[in-house]
Amino acid sequence: MTNSWRNPLYLWDVKDAVEELPTIDYVSPQEVWDRTRSSDAVMLPVGRLRYYYKWSGHGAALWNRLRYWPTRRRVLNIRGEYNPKTLRSEKTIVDKRPIWWLLGLLALALAPLFVPADLQNTLLTAGATFGIYAAINLCWMLIIGTAGIYSLATYAVVGVSAFGTAYLSIQYGIPWYGLPFIGAMIGLLSGLIIAIPATRLDGFYYALLTLGLNELCRVYAQQSRLFGSSTGGLYGADSYIPQSWDQHSQSLLAYYACFVLMIMALCLYRLINGRRIGRILRMAPEKREAFAEATGVDYRRARIFVFVISSIGLGFIGGFYTAHFRGVAFSIFSFDTVLLGLAMLVIGGLGRAEGAVVGTAIVILLDKILISMGPVRLLLIGVIMLGVVLFLREGLFGVKAQFRAWRDKKKSERRSTRAVKGGEMLPEEVTETKNKDLSYWRRYDKMQRDYLRTLISSELIEEHQRSPLGQHSEPLERLLLYFRRAPMADKYAIAVVEPFKAYRIVALSGHRGVAPRVVEDRIYGSQNEAYHGVFLRRVQDLLES
Amino acid sequence: MDFGFILINALVLACIYGTLAIGISITWSSVGLINLSYGFIFAASGYGAWLCAQYISTFGAVVLMAGILTGALMGLLVCALAFIPIHDKPSFTVRGMIATLAINLIGTQTLMWYFGPRAKSLPEIFGSWKIHLGHIVLTADKIGNIVASIVVVTLVLQWMRSSRRGLEIRAMMMNPHAAAIVGIGVRSTGFYVMAITGGLAGLAAVLLSQTYYISPFGGLTPMIKGVSIALCGGLGSVRGAAIAAVLLGLNEAITSVALGGQYVLITQFAFIILILLVRPRGIAGILDKAREA
């Protein structure tokens, strides 16, 4: 030790004072401070805020809203606000989906103009099929997504209606414009029949039952001579496509007719899902029906209502199907049709109209465009379906939300790695502690202890042994000040066993009326020895903490 | 129409479909997966047995074993693809069901792609002898089917009753959460269950191929029959499935005699719907407490 401490009281003839004592070099507390405040956790420049374009809004027009007639709803959900920093009026489009819908439908309406001539026939036929299947899937989405009934008999309803109307058209010569309406009646009837078990059965029991009903329809239609078991289907029904037109005009008319059908299905979806009945059913999701019932929602009735309405829609589509294809084949009842339909729904995401439409588009494209690949294309669709089910929670349209959830999880994981233990609070503890001063105090205390630990040396302990009371060197003085300021609970004290002869170290309880506890059996012969014993214990505790 | 002949036929089919239904039931109640890829497992085990008969041996027991082993293997595959990755994720039941449907689509299309659409037939694994019982003729394959399915199912149930693994599976059937808490591995039990139920499907496939041909999509009808029996018996109940198999077999026999073959499915589903309307959890709703989803 090169450093030494000169006792300023020595000159005043204080008892037992020595002139100079060896002591340690000066240690700066700055170093501990800097070390505690620095963090080696990576701070990634990933923001939490979502980016919205801010449209400028005229002050008077900020609260002006375009609403459409029978309802008080807005065309676009626009939020008007004053920027708190610049005080300018701003408009934010909160929900951009109507814009995307409009652009997408416009693209579909204009698509025939831009189709290359050599692919025209294939693409227009595929487009017409897409329109019909999208309409079916939208109705199915109402049943699965809105009503929460896992029915797999959708194509069965469409098929029954298509076979019925085809039979009537062939036998009684009903014109094409009557077919969708007769189909809707058949759809209503079959919907009512299928709905009976849905009143009692749980989700998956019902799914399995309807799978069986689908198979029942297939087997019955295939065995029945009435429905053309020998020709593989019923053909020869009246069609809305005039035979006298040329090929291109025919496919163009078919394309736009199916497009209109899809728009009608979208309107039905919007009418049911977006209005009162949809709200009611959104309150009663799977496994929370009891709560909905307790709040007075008659969810069973609402579910059956949606189911029957969708079945009418499906019947209508079935009649249109007959009028479109001039008949119907058994393949509409086949298990693969159900599987492909389910693939369409799942790939897009259950419970959204855009999921049904885009999923249908993807599967139809793969199915019709890659038709030269044979069974491999179905294999591809199956692999996509499996991948979507295994990795995506809500299909393609849930990717955004799922990615955000994943990023938030990663962020919170990273945040928790920044926890430095040892007297300081963990981030979770801080959020749960009401007194935020406490966390700062803990941090300060930890720094102080870290610093004081560097001061302890044998010279210091020797100095304290020489004189436990009185003036001390600077490091020892700091240490003793810290020890004396400790809270009363578990603070060491000296108990007199016999005055001037026997002392013992105890620990205070910190509570009035509760006696201190004895820490050790050792008896100290003098007060100073006991003081030093307490000091050693405290140093020990400091080094161990 | 000979009533005795039809009754025996119905009994044979009830035994085979009952085997499949017990598999479906056990899978649902223990691992909570509605396995709709049995159509694929069924067809694949048929092809496995056919490959064995073509290249290894046409001896009955070997072909049967090959079918069961292929089924168990396919069960493991389905478990690894559809159960292990998502069994602890949200809305597992729906996603599991759709995943097994996707596996069914992929699997049957692969079989179709590899083996072609031509149906295959297996050799007669039980020989070609017959017994006259009064005026009813019992052929070897019928007796073999009934005996083999009853013996195997009894063995499996006995194993489930007496072994450590069986105890684990039964614990999972009673309460999966409590089973997981006391240290029964959900994933390892899932593999056992799926292998066993896959093996049962393989057995059913080989037995049924004595009557029908093996084709890529031939597994669909047995799966639907198995599902309806499991549904009627109450998912998760072995006893319920056994009773339902016998009842539906009888229904099939009576309907074909009284109304004609094409009305079998209609009366069958009317019967099932009737039972489910009275007891939404099937016959097992009367017998014991079924698992809640």
Side-chain angles (χ1 to χ4, degrees):
Chain A
M1 288 295 148
T2 54
N3 206 358
S4 64
W5 170 72
R6 296 177 65 87
N7 188 346
L9 298 182
Y10 176 69
L11 296 173
W12 303 97
D13 289 333
V14 173
K15 196 185 161 210
D16 289 343
V18 276
E19 190 186 357
E20 201 170 301
L21 279 174
T23 182
I24 55 166
D25 292 336
Y26 173 69
V27 185
S28 167
Q30 185 69 36
E31 196 190 320
V32 175
W33 170 268
D34 289 341
R35 201 172 57 228
T36 310
R37 282 178 45 99
S38 72
S39 161
D40 51 354
V42 197
M43 301 291 281
L44 291 161
V46 180
R48 221 176 200 303
L49 295 172
R50 286 168 63 176
Y51 179 75
Y52 285 105
Y53 184 77
K54 301 288 178 186
W55 303 79
S56 62
H58 189 274
L62 189 61
W63 309 107
N64 194 18
R65 298 278 179 269
L66 190 63
R67 299 176 191 272
Y68 54 92
W69 168 62
T71 66
R72 292 273 299 145
R73 294 192 177 197
R74 285 176 267 165
V75 178
L76 263 183
N77 184 7
I78 296 179
R79 191 174 61 209
E81 63 208 340
Y82 290 101
N83 188 321
K85 276 190 183 161
T86 63
L87 294 183
R88 262 187 316 198
S89 62
E90 283 175 349
K91 280 179 170 179
T92 315
I93 304 177
V94 181
D95 189 358
K96 295 201 190 77
R97 277 179 298 176
I99 302 175
W100 291 116
W101 268 114
L102 203 67
L103 288 177
L105 291 179
L106 208 65
L108 276 180
L110 298 180
L113 299 178
F114 302 104
V115 170
D118 51 336
L119 281 175
Q120 205 154 38
N121 208 16
T122 325
L123 283 181
L124 282 182
T125 315
T129 320
F130 158 72
I132 292 180
Y133 278 83
I136 296 176
N137 286 337
L138 280 166
C139 290
W140 196 0
M141 197 65 103
L142 273 180
I143 296 175
I144 290 192
T146 306
I149 299 174
Y150 286 93
S151 164
L152 297 179
T154 311
Y155 283 91
V157 174
V158 176
V160 165
S161 154
F163 268 102
T165 50
Y167 179 76
L168 289 177
S169 179
I170 292 166
Q171 291 292 316
Y172 303 105
I174 291 171
W176 62 267
Y177 46 81
L179 297 184
F181 298 100
I182 295 173
M185 304 263 279
I186 300 176
L188 172 67
L189 279 181
S190 43
L192 282 176
I193 293 171
I194 305 177
I196 294 170
T199 54
R200 293 272 292 172
L201 288 185
D202 284 354
F204 302 103
Y205 285 75
Y206 194 69
L208 299 182
L209 186 72
T210 46
L211 196 65
L213 288 179
N214 196 58
E215 176 74 0
L216 160 68
C217 290
R218 186 180 71 86
V219 171
Y220 184 76
Q222 266 183 357
Q223 286 175 351
S224 153
R225 212 172 298 146
L226 202 67
F227 292 136
S229 59
S230 51
T231 52
L234 268 183
Y235 284 100
D238 191 27
S239 172
Y240 63 90
I241 306 169
Q243 293 279 27
S244 53
W245 290 16
D246 66 346
Q247 184 62 40
H248 179 62
S249 312
Q250 278 190 15
S251 28
L252 214 57
L253 176 67
Y255 178 81
Y256 280 111
C258 295
F259 183 65
V260 169
L261 183 75
M262 189 182 87
I263 302 267
M264 283 162 72
L266 276 173
C267 290
L268 180 74
Y269 190 90
R270 179 71 181 73
L271 255 157
I272 295 198
N273 190 49
R275 305 197 68 195
R276 182 172 173 275
I277 196 119
R279 301 259 164 161
I280 281 179
L281 286 169
R282 226 162 297 153
M283 229 186 111
E286 182 94 353
K287 289 188 187 169
R288 278 174 39 195
E289 287 99 344
F291 171 72
E293 205 165 19
T295 52
V297 169
D298 191 354
Y299 68 92
R300 280 201 189 86
R301 198 190 165 113
R303 278 183 183 177
I304 299 299
F305 178 73
V306 171
F307 188 89
V308 172
I309 292 280
S310 312
S311 296
I312 294 175
L314 288 171
F316 186 89
I317 297 167
F320 181 86
Y321 188 97
T322 306
H324 180 85
F325 290 110
R326 297 173 199 282
V328 57
F330 293 137
S331 66
I332 194 153
F333 290 129
S334 83
F335 191 54
D336 274 358
T337 312
V338 177
L339 275 184
L340 282 186
L342 202 62
M344 295 173 193
L345 296 194
V346 168
I347 288 174
L350 287 178
R352 310 155 194 262
E354 61 264 37
V357 174
V358 172
T360 312
I362 291 172
V363 174
I364 293 278
L365 269 182
L366 285 178
D367 194 29
K368 299 287 171 197
I369 305 300
L370 304 178
I371 202 153
S372 56
M373 287 172 73
V376 181
R377 72 184 198 284
L378 291 177
L379 209 74
L380 195 67
I381 293 171
V383 169
I384 293 175
M385 185 176 167
L386 188 64
V388 166
V389 168
L390 292 190
F391 296 112
L392 301 183
R393 219 170 285 166
E394 294 269 305
L396 276 184
F397 281 90
V399 167
K400 207 171 165 187
Q402 197 177 348
F403 172 71
R404 287 210 174 112
W406 175 80
R407 195 179 60 185
D408 281 352
K409 194 184 91 187
K410 286 285 160 199
K411 249 193 258 174
S412 81
E413 275 173 19
R414 233 175 265 133
R415 207 178 300 130
S416 66
T417 58
R418 290 183 59 195
V420 186
K421 282 172 198 152
E424 261 193 298
M425 282 178 168
L426 294 171
E428 295 80 35
E429 265 182 290
V430 175
T431 52
E432 279 167 23
T433 311
K434 213 166 186 191
N435 185 2
K436 300 300 178 218
D437 268 356
L438 204 61
S439 66
Y440 284 96
W441 179 79
R442 287 260 190 98
R443 195 177 174 84
Y444 173 71
D445 190 52
K446 192 222 167 202
M447 283 195 283
Q448 210 174 11
R449 270 182 285 124
D450 282 351
Y451 171 63
L452 290 176
R453 239 175 260 150
T454 60
L455 299 183
I456 292 164
S457 64
S458 54
E459 287 88 3
L460 203 101
I461 291 168
E462 216 168 273
E463 189 192 338
H464 187 269
Q465 193 174 20
R466 186 191 303 274
S467 57
L469 301 177
Q471 181 72 36
H472 294 115
S473 66
E474 191 244 353
L476 183 57
E477 210 55 60
R478 278 178 186 272
L479 205 60
L480 288 175
L481 275 174
Y482 178 76
F483 287 156
R484 284 169 196 150
R485 233 182 36 241
M488 287 308 278
D490 270 345
K491 196 174 188 177
Y492 293 117
I494 298 169
V496 183
V497 180
E498 196 179 336
F500 306 107
K501 280 183 185 164
Y503 298 88
R504 167 180 271 172
I505 297 179
V506 294
L508 299 179
S509 66
H511 296 285
R512 182 182 290 272
V514 179
R517 67 184 164 85
V518 176
V519 178
E520 56 179 16
D521 290 337
R522 194 173 157 193
I523 300 287
Y524 295 90
S526 74
Q527 208 169 350
N528 277 2
E529 268 177 47
Y531 279 142
H532 190 60
V534 168
F535 176 74
L536 286 181
R537 284 200 149 262
R538 284 177 176 166
V539 166
Q540 178 78 10
D541 288 356
L542 176 69
L543 288 177
E544 275 176 2
S545 75
Chain B
M1 277 290 176
D2 181 2
F3 187 74
F5 175 73
I6 287 169
L7 198 65
I8 290 292
N9 263 351
L11 193 63
V12 170
L13 291 180
C15 279
I16 295 173
Y17 295 143
T19 312
L20 208 56
I22 285 170
I24 290 170
S25 229
I26 291 175
T27 313
W28 159 248
S29 58
S30 59
V31 296
L33 181 71
I34 297 180
N35 191 351
L36 290 183
S37 58
Y38 274 117
F40 159 62
I41 296 179
F42 195 89
S45 5
Y47 277 104
W50 179 75
L51 283 180
C52 170
Q54 287 286 306
Y55 297 110
I56 300 170
S57 155
T58 50
F59 183 64
V62 176
V63 176
L64 199 63
M65 266 332 278
I68 293 174
L69 281 182
T70 321
L73 212 63
M74 291 302 140
L76 289 180
L77 182 77
V78 171
C79 183
L81 277 178
F83 177 69
I84 299 297
I86 51 172
H87 74 95
D88 48 357
K89 299 273 160 58
S91 60
F92 159 64
T93 328
V94 186
R95 285 166 79 184
M97 190 179 82
I98 296 171
T100 53
L101 281 173
I103 292 172
N104 194 45
L105 180 67
I106 298 172
T108 48
Q109 291 297 337
T110 312
L111 287 179
M112 169 92 167
W113 186 37
Y114 192 76
F115 290 102
R118 276 257 301 277
K120 311 272 193 270
S121 65
L122 279 187
E124 290 180 329
I125 54 178
F126 298 113
S128 54
W129 41 272
K130 52 181 78 168
I131 297 176
H132 292 269
L133 203 72
H135 61 285
I136 303 168
V137 183
L138 291 175
T139 51
D141 60 308
K142 279 175 188 160
I143 296 173
N145 279 349
I146 294 173
V147 170
S149 55
I150 288 177
V151 164
V152 171
V153 169
T154 315
L155 275 180
V156 167
L157 292 182
Q158 204 56 45
W159 175 81
M160 273 177 65
R161 185 170 293 183
S162 59
S163 75
R164 195 83 196 160
R165 300 278 165 228
L167 186 68
E168 288 182 3
I169 294 174
R170 282 186 296 135
M172 287 274 288
M173 285 170 82
M174 279 179 192
N175 191 334
H177 297 288
I181 287 166
V182 297
I184 293 170
V186 175
R187 293 170 183 226
S188 57
T189 315
F191 274 118
Y192 280 112
V193 168
M194 294 297 281
I196 285 170
T197 54
L200 286 179
L203 172 78
V206 178
L207 294 185
L208 200 67
S209 68
Q210 298 300 302
T211 319
Y212 299 110
Y213 293 106
I214 300 163
S215 66
F217 304 108
L220 178 64
T221 314
M223 180 180 84
I224 300 237
K225 294 242 181 186
V227 162
S228 4
I229 291 172
L231 199 61
C232 183
L235 286 174
S237 161
V238 174
R239 275 187 295 172
I243 294 173
V246 174
L247 280 181
L248 290 183
L250 275 177
N251 170 62
E252 196 165 333
I254 294 168
T255 311
S256 2
V257 173
L259 297 172
Q262 59 185 3
Y263 296 103
V264 165
L265 272 175
I266 295 177
T267 54
Q268 183 177 326
F269 276 99
F271 183 64
I272 293 173
I273 288 173
L274 208 67
I275 286 184
L276 290 180
L277 279 180
V278 181
R279 285 274 151 193
R281 293 207 183 274
I283 296 172
I286 306 166
L287 293 177
D288 50 29
K289 193 173 169 293
R291 169 181 167 145
E292 284 187 15

